[in-house]
Amino acid sequence: MVWEQRWHPLREEWIIVAAHRQDRPWIGDTVRQPQTQLPPYDPNCYFCPGNIRVSGEQNPDYKQTFVFDNDHACVSFDAPNVPELTDSIYKRKPARGIARVVCYSPRHDLTLAELETSEIITLLKVWQQQYLELGAHPEINHVLIFENKGEVVGVSNPHPHCQIYATNFIFKYIETEARVCERHFADTGRILFQDILRTEKEDGRRIICENETVIAFMPYFARYAYEVFVAPKKTHPHLAALSNDELNDLADILQQILIKFDNLWQMPFPYVMALHQAPTDGEKYDNFHFHIEFHPPLRKPNLLKYLAGPEIGGGNFLSDTSPEEKAKELKRLPTLHYKLQN
Ligand SMILES: [Zn+2]
Ligand SMILES: [Zn+2]
C-alpha cells in the first residue's frame, strides 16, 4: 500500500498518494463509452478533406496532415488592443497570438494510436516546423501544442487532430518548469530532468518502455492514474532540436504508449497530451528538457478522476492509485493494437 505525499519537482507541489482509496464504493455516475463505428469520411465534419468550415473556407483534398488557423481562436492578432490599466491592482493585456489546428490524417475514423509509424514521424515534423515558425514571431513567447482526446475531455469532433496555442504569454506550467530547471542548474550544476531520468532508471519500476534515445515512464510524482511522460534521453529544449534518429525513436515510443493506452481497456483511451517545450521569448533555455506529458482523466474504464476539493479547492492533487502498480499494468500490455489482434 502506498499512502504518503510525494513532491512534484517540476510543478513544485505535493501530491497526496492514497492508493488504498482506489476500490472505495462508488454510487455516482460512470462514463459511457461511445461504441459507434465512425465512417472514414464524414460530410458534416469541419476537418475532413474537401469540406467547408464555419469560416466559409474549403479544406483542401489533403492526403497526410493539414494545418489551418483555428476558426474559433482564443488568441489572435485581431484581438482588441486593450490599453493597460493604470493605478489598479488589476492588470490586463491583449489576447494576442495565433491558434491553429493540425489534422493528423484525412481519415475521420482513425486516432493517433492507429496511425503508421511513418505517419507519426510526418506529424512530428509538422510539430517541429510549427514550433519554429510560430516561435520566430517576435510577439509569440510560447508555443503550446496539445491534443484533447475523447468526449470526457470535451472533444466534440472525433476527427484526429491537435491544437496549437502560440501566445504572447508563457503558459503557467511551462513557466514554472523553466524557472525550477534554471534554479536547479544554478544550485547543483545538473539538469533537473536528467536527475529525474536517472532516478527513474535507478528505481526501474515505473519505466514502461524505451529504445536507444527515447524513454516512457510514469513519474514517481504522477497526479493521474495513468499519467505518462515520453522524453528523449538527451536534453533538448524543444522538439525541433531532435536529430532524425531521435525523431524516429520518439515516434516508436509514442506509438507504443498510445497502443498500450488503447489496449488497456480495449477502447479509444481519452487523454490530454501536451508537448512541454521551451518558451520562445528570446531567453536561453539550455536546461529545459523537452518532453510530452499524457494526462488521462479515467482511473477505471468508466470512472473519471474527478477534480474536486483537494484539486480545485486546495490546489493539490489527491491520487487514488500507486504509480508503481499502474506502470506495471501498462508495461505488460502488448504493442499490437487491439483492433489488429485476432
Ligand atoms: Zn472528419
Ligand atoms: Zn512538463
Side-chain angles (χ1 to χ4, degrees):
M1 179 183 75
V2 185
W3 191 357
E4 63 196 31
Q5 292 180 38
R6 293 186 177 185
W7 179 247
H8 193 316
L10 291 166
R11 294 170 57 93
E12 295 194 300
E13 66 190 31
W14 290 101
I15 320 296
I16 310 163
V17 186
H20 56 289
R21 289 165 42 92
Q22 165 82 343
D23 291 314
R24 69 188 184 278
W26 182 263
I27 53 163
D29 268 354
T30 55
V31 180
R32 276 178 304 114
Q33 291 307 323
Q35 285 303 336
T36 48
Q37 182 63 42
L38 295 166
Y41 167 77
D42 180 349
N44 298 312
C45 169
Y46 288 133
F47 301 156
C48 274
N51 290 359
I52 312 273
R53 301 202 308 277
V54 276
S55 61
E57 273 178 79
Q58 184 178 24
N59 294 335
D61 188 23
Y62 65 98
K63 303 292 181 208
Q64 286 197 315
T65 56
F66 170 46
V67 184
F68 61 95
D69 286 352
N70 196 322
D71 299 314
H72 307 280
C74 67
V75 287
S76 166
F77 289 116
D78 296 330
N81 199 10
V82 293
E84 269 182 50
L85 297 173
T86 49
D87 297 327
S88 172
I89 59 156
Y90 292 161
K91 298 181 196 176
R92 66 176 181 183
K93 54 185 185 177
R96 287 169 73 79
I98 299 172
R100 285 184 175 160
V101 174
V102 182
C103 293
Y104 296 162
S105 162
R107 283 274 302 270
H108 185 80
D109 57 335
L110 295 182
T111 65
L112 189 51
E114 295 165 87
L115 297 189
E116 301 289 336
T117 321
S118 62
E119 295 173 305
I120 297 177
I121 294 170
T122 302
L123 175 65
L124 292 176
K125 289 181 175 165
V126 170
W127 287 346
Q128 286 184 317
Q129 192 228 327
Q130 289 294 317
Y131 175 85
L132 292 176
E133 180 195 319
L134 294 165
H137 193 289
E139 274 194 73
I140 285 177
N141 291 329
H142 181 243
V143 179
L144 183 71
I145 300 177
F146 65 95
E147 179 187 354
N148 301 329
K149 183 185 167 209
E151 282 177 26
V152 293
V153 293
V155 180
S156 48
N157 189 336
H159 195 115
H161 70 283
C162 71
Q163 299 187 64
I164 304 177
Y165 285 2
T167 50
N168 59 349
F169 69 96
I170 302 168
F171 270 87
K172 170 107 174 158
Y173 297 157
I174 305 299
E175 191 184 44
T176 305
E177 284 190 10
R179 183 167 39 76
V180 299
C181 289
E182 282 309 308
R183 199 187 56 215
H184 188 78
F185 189 79
D187 289 351
T188 66
R190 298 191 309 269
I191 289 170
L192 177 57
F193 208 92
Q194 288 295 352
D195 280 356
I196 292 173
L197 289 181
R198 188 172 39 77
T199 311
E200 289 295 342
K201 293 202 89 158
E202 280 168 8
D203 184 310
R205 287 175 297 168
R206 291 172 302 272
I207 293 171
I208 296 159
C209 52
E210 64 180 311
N211 56 27
E212 204 179 319
T213 67
V214 176
I215 189 165
F217 61 99
M218 184 171 295
Y220 171 76
F221 44 81
R223 295 178 302 152
Y224 291 88
Y226 294 96
E227 182 169 324
V228 170
F229 282 21
V230 175
K233 294 178 181 176
K234 247 181 90 179
T235 296
H236 297 290
H238 50 76
L239 178 64
L242 269 67
S243 71
N244 274 335
D245 284 346
E246 288 176 307
L247 212 65
N248 294 342
D249 281 355
L250 177 59
D252 168 43
I253 294 296
L254 261 183
Q255 190 176 38
Q256 288 191 43
I257 288 299
L258 291 158
I259 291 173
K260 280 171 179 285
F261 276 158
D262 277 12
N263 284 345
L264 182 62
W265 300 317
Q266 309 253 313
M267 61 173 233
F269 191 73
Y271 56 72
V272 173
M273 172 186 75
L275 275 66
H276 281 190
Q277 308 193 77
T280 55
D281 59 351
E283 299 295 319
K284 274 180 80 73
Y285 291 98
D286 293 342
N287 304 313
F288 193 96
H289 189 117
F290 155 72
H291 56 283
I292 300 176
E293 298 190 3
F294 284 95
H295 300 285
L298 296 183
R299 54 189 181 87
K300 287 186 177 182
N302 299 307
L303 203 53
L304 263 179
K305 160 68 183 166
Y306 284 97
L307 304 187
E311 297 85 6
I312 295 174
N316 287 75
F317 258 67
L318 170 59
S319 168
D320 304 315
T321 51
S322 128
E324 292 71 38
E325 288 298 313
K326 294 289 142 183
K328 206 190 290 174
E329 275 181 42
L330 288 180
K331 198 186 294 196
R332 62 162 193 255
L333 289 166
T335 52
L336 178 66
H337 198 275
Y338 71 88
K339 287 186 185 171
L340 303 173
Q341 295 168 14
N342 288 317

